[in-house]
Amino acid sequence: MNKEYLKTIYSLFKKELMSYFNSPIAYIFIGVFLVMGNWLFFKWFFIIGQASMRNYFSLLPWIFLFLAPALTMRLWAEEKRSGTIEFLLTLPITNWQVVLAKFFGALVFLFISLLMTFTLPITIFALGNADMGPIIGSYLGALFLGGSYLALGLFISSLTKNQIIAFILGVMACFGFFIIGADFVLAGAPMALAPIMKFIGLGSHFNSIARGVIDSKDVIYYISFIFMFLWLNARVIENRTWK
Amino acid sequence: MKKIKQRSETYVTLLSIIGIIILVNFFSYKIFTRLDLTQNKEFTVSAVTKNTLKNLDDVVNIKVYFSKNLPSQFISLRENVGDILDAYDNYSSGNVRIEFIDPTDDEELASSLYAQGIPELQFEVFEKDQMQLVRGYMGMSIGYGSDSEIIPVVQDTKSLEYQITLAIKKLTSGETIKLGLLNGYGSLDRESLGGGIQKLEELYEVVDVDLLSVEEIDTSLKTLIIVSPKEEIPEGGLVKIDAYVAKGGNLLVLDEGVAIDEGLQATNKNNGLNNLLTNYGIKINNDMVLESKANSGVASFNQGFFTFQTSYSYWPKIAKDGFDQDNSAVSKLENVVLQWASSIDVDKTKLGENYNISYLAKSSDKSWRQTGKYDLNPQQTFTPNKTQTSNLAVDVSAKFKSPYGIEDTIFSRILVVGDSDFASGNLVTMADNLVFFQNITDSLSLDGDLIEVRSKGITSRPIETDISDGQKVLIRYLNVFGVTVLVLTIGLSRYFLRKKSRFVDDL
């Protein structure tokens, strides 16, 4: 991979990221994200009275479930509908470069949104003796989980021209992958399948990192998951003329 | 034709990529590294465990009896048990052998487990749209030579390291440490102490001590536990306790200066023990320490047919700041609730030249003491008189001067808590109370060795309670809308700036 290759990705990435902030989408998105998450968190915070962000991070996957597909739904669908995809892909760049640029654009945007929740840890540290480990772990886990949702959402967006369909399918797919490893789903699953389902579930790996333990197996899982859907995405773009 | 070729190539690549991903993930489960970011290293084994393992001179066999068909909520438990045992394997340089065994369908093994005391458990599982009963094992045995210790049911991994290390220590140390529990004079016995004593018996042999029937207290008892005698101990008994202390025995006294009877009537207590302690230089005052509502425990009361719960000022809650941070027995505790506790004073002039005092637990500087008349009604408005901090638990080591004329006394330790209720009945299960009771007993009897392991289980991290409702609302709205308003302002100004510059461009 040469320097030029990365440079192209970088300039595409910058364009993608700036396109969020040049439209009202970014601000509305961050606004909704902060109000929703922080409001729900503070509903119980003083009643529970514990200096931890555990409750916030048990909510976050559910908030991401809607916000991540909302971010990715237009990324391919819109380009397809307006026809700019043909123009984009006739440029001297590879599909991978475009996919990576779109993915990292969305991921960095998600990261910036997460950074905006910085007031929560500050409040918690001011009010009690919180444990830093789970908080760092949870933020990292949230980034990995968000990244997985985005990769999945991006892939689904590449399958359709319609943003609404991309959004609904995205939410459903993310929900499926998140929930499949949850205890209450496993309780009803055949015993032989349960360990595999637990392994596939995005949520169980998130819980593991959110404890404050960065385990190589969880990280490898997330990276595999993201890679897998980005690769599928690149293939779909490449073979879009099959039909 | 080209399309078909392209398509099949894609599928082949897809399958190989999936294959590689599965392989990589499979091996990531075999070979992994982990970084434990938690403050108490909750998922890493402690130095005590590492040391114990390093000093092993023979093989310890750990057999984990976990059935494969356990309900799915126990899958992560099995994983976590495996993770912890991996650490044992790593640090033992081959002296710990770990084996996971599924006893299902092995009748011979099942009866041998039954004989060892590892029960077969029953679980209700929802499968194929109906409830089914599943039987399974979740036990563990730790063997050393011909001896073995068992953990009948592994319920969680919170205290698992403590249990395993304890079992290894017990097996390899050879003898069990003995503690005494004073009986009679209305003091709390085994039964009323319940859970606390059961916990202690995991490590110690707890012997009942009846002052009337013994000539002298056996000095092989590492610690004598005295919990709230209600009647007066005659001088003969006190002499025996004094002789025990003079010979280096440790005392753990849980007692208060004011007794509360079942009708919630308070009377000053005089059981003679306090006189002995006062002579040593430790005095349990005839008072009660009260805390503001924010710093007190929640109690439930019955009123007619109703039960109500309220923060009760007579139940002082000790938060992190209240514990002696230099003392490993209590430094990691966050939340202990005492009930009708008395303050303790230490008179250093009586302690001789060499002494060591640790003020284990103190009430907050907003607490106050009540003496004389006590109105225990929970529904009153409590108004503090003179606010001050009070000692609620002290640990003193010294050559205590014998009030009965014994001359050559040797060093011993006396640990006094101005309350006994916290360790009894249901209250011991409240907050960190049980851990507090175990830790202080261990600190006297084990020289603080295993404490480091257990404190891990503590998860309570209370937030500051001293904030008004107005402040709470402010904190809440600042968090919810503060950054949001800022982000929206930046967004709007960017929007207008861009619009303006576009307008200029158009011109």
Side-chain angles (χ1 to χ4, degrees), chain B residues 65-137:
Chain B
Y65 300 102
F66 259 63
S67 305
K68 285 226 166 69
N69 62 348
L70 288 178
S72 43
Q73 66 265 35
F74 296 112
I75 292 178
S76 32
L77 177 65
R78 198 192 144 100
E79 278 172 10
N80 295 343
V81 170
D83 287 351
I84 289 178
L85 288 175
D86 279 339
Y88 276 80
D89 190 20
N90 285 339
Y91 291 105
S92 70
S93 49
N95 270 335
V96 169
R97 281 192 203 138
I98 296 153
E99 213 181 330
F100 271 84
I101 300 167
D102 178 8
T104 320
D105 303 330
D106 186 340
E107 280 182 21
E108 208 173 307
L109 180 60
S111 59
S112 129
L113 290 182
Y114 180 76
Q116 286 180 54
I118 297 179
E120 186 177 30
L121 307 169
Q122 279 193 353
F123 308 93
E124 279 192 339
V125 178
F126 191 73
E127 200 176 359
K128 289 176 194 148
D129 295 332
Q130 53 182 331
M131 296 305 286
Q132 291 185 341
L133 270 189
V134 173
R135 290 161 185 279
Y137 290 88

Side-chain angles (χ1 to χ4, degrees), chain B residues 14-308:
Chain B
L14 177 64
L15 284 179
S16 11
I17 285 190
I18 292 178
I20 292 169
I21 286 178
I22 291 177
L23 264 181
V24 167
N25 277 279
F26 179 75
F27 283 109
S28 77
Y29 270 68
K30 302 278 166 204
I31 312 155
F32 60 88
T33 54
R34 47 170 43 182
L35 185 63
D36 188 348
L37 299 176
T38 54
Q39 202 175 32
N40 293 344
K41 295 277 166 269
E42 282 171 45
F43 304 96
T44 312
V45 292
S46 66
V48 182
T49 300
K50 287 179 196 166
N51 270 336
T52 312
L53 294 171
K54 215 163 63 185
N55 297 333
L56 287 178
D57 47 16
D58 202 355
V59 177
V60 171
N61 284 301
I62 302 183
K63 290 182 179 163
V64 190
Y65 300 102
F66 259 63
S67 305
K68 285 226 166 69
N69 62 348
L70 288 178
S72 43
Q73 66 265 35
F74 296 112
I75 292 178
S76 32
L77 177 65
R78 198 192 144 100
E79 278 172 10
N80 295 343
V81 170
D83 287 351
I84 289 178
L85 288 175
D86 279 339
Y88 276 80
D89 190 20
N90 285 339
Y91 291 105
S92 70
S93 49
N95 270 335
V96 169
R97 281 192 203 138
I98 296 153
E99 213 181 330
F100 271 84
I101 300 167
D102 178 8
T104 320
D105 303 330
D106 186 340
E107 280 182 21
E108 208 173 307
L109 180 60
S111 59
S112 129
L113 290 182
Y114 180 76
Q116 286 180 54
I118 297 179
E120 186 177 30
L121 307 169
Q122 279 193 353
F123 308 93
E124 279 192 339
V125 178
F126 191 73
E127 200 176 359
K128 289 176 194 148
D129 295 332
Q130 53 182 331
M131 296 305 286
Q132 291 185 341
L133 270 189
V134 173
R135 290 161 185 279
Y137 290 88
M138 288 163 64
M140 194 185 284
S141 90
I142 296 129
Y144 181 76
S146 58
D147 296 330
S148 71
E149 287 283 330
I150 58 149
I151 301 170
V153 181
V154 179
Q155 268 162 338
D156 53 52
T157 46
K158 259 189 198 167
S159 61
L160 186 65
E161 187 199 341
Y162 174 74
Q163 286 176 298
I164 298 175
T165 304
L166 186 71
I168 297 178
K169 267 184 167 296
K170 261 169 152 181
L171 287 168
T172 51
S173 76
E175 58 179 317
T176 318
I177 297 167
K178 284 202 281 184
L179 309 181
L181 176 66
L182 186 84
N183 276 5
Y185 312 109
S187 45
L188 295 189
D189 57 5
R190 232 163 238 279
E191 216 164 285
S192 8
L193 287 169
I197 291 290
Q198 268 173 26
K199 265 282 162 197
L200 293 186
E201 283 184 325
E202 285 178 8
L203 177 58
Y204 310 100
E205 186 186 339
V206 183
V207 182
D208 290 317
V209 174
D210 186 353
L211 290 179
L212 289 176
S213 66
V214 290
E215 275 292 302
E216 56 177 19
I217 301 169
D218 183 359
T219 46
S220 72
L221 299 176
K222 191 90 186 171
T223 301
L224 177 65
I225 305 173
I226 304 175
V227 190
S228 188
K230 310 241 166 353
E231 301 149 22
E232 190 166 351
I233 303 175
E235 197 172 51
L238 295 176
V239 169
K240 289 174 190 168
I241 297 175
D242 180 50
Y244 170 75
V245 173
K247 285 179 201 150
N250 298 328
L251 284 191
L252 172 61
V253 178
L254 314 181
D255 199 8
E256 45 279 295
V258 179
I260 309 286
D261 65 16
E262 278 174 12
L264 282 191
Q265 290 298 315
T267 40
N268 281 353
K269 209 166 153 183
N270 188 14
N271 52 21
L273 180 69
N274 205 0
N275 297 341
L276 178 67
L277 292 176
T278 311
N279 277 316
Y280 288 147
I282 306 167
K283 185 170 192 289
I284 304 173
N285 296 315
N286 292 116
D287 62 9
M288 280 198 245
V289 175
L290 284 86
E291 282 277 7
S292 65
K293 274 202 177 249
N295 287 325
S296 39
V298 176
S300 43
F301 293 90
N302 291 319
Q303 196 176 46
F305 293 108
F306 299 104
T307 305
F308 64 96

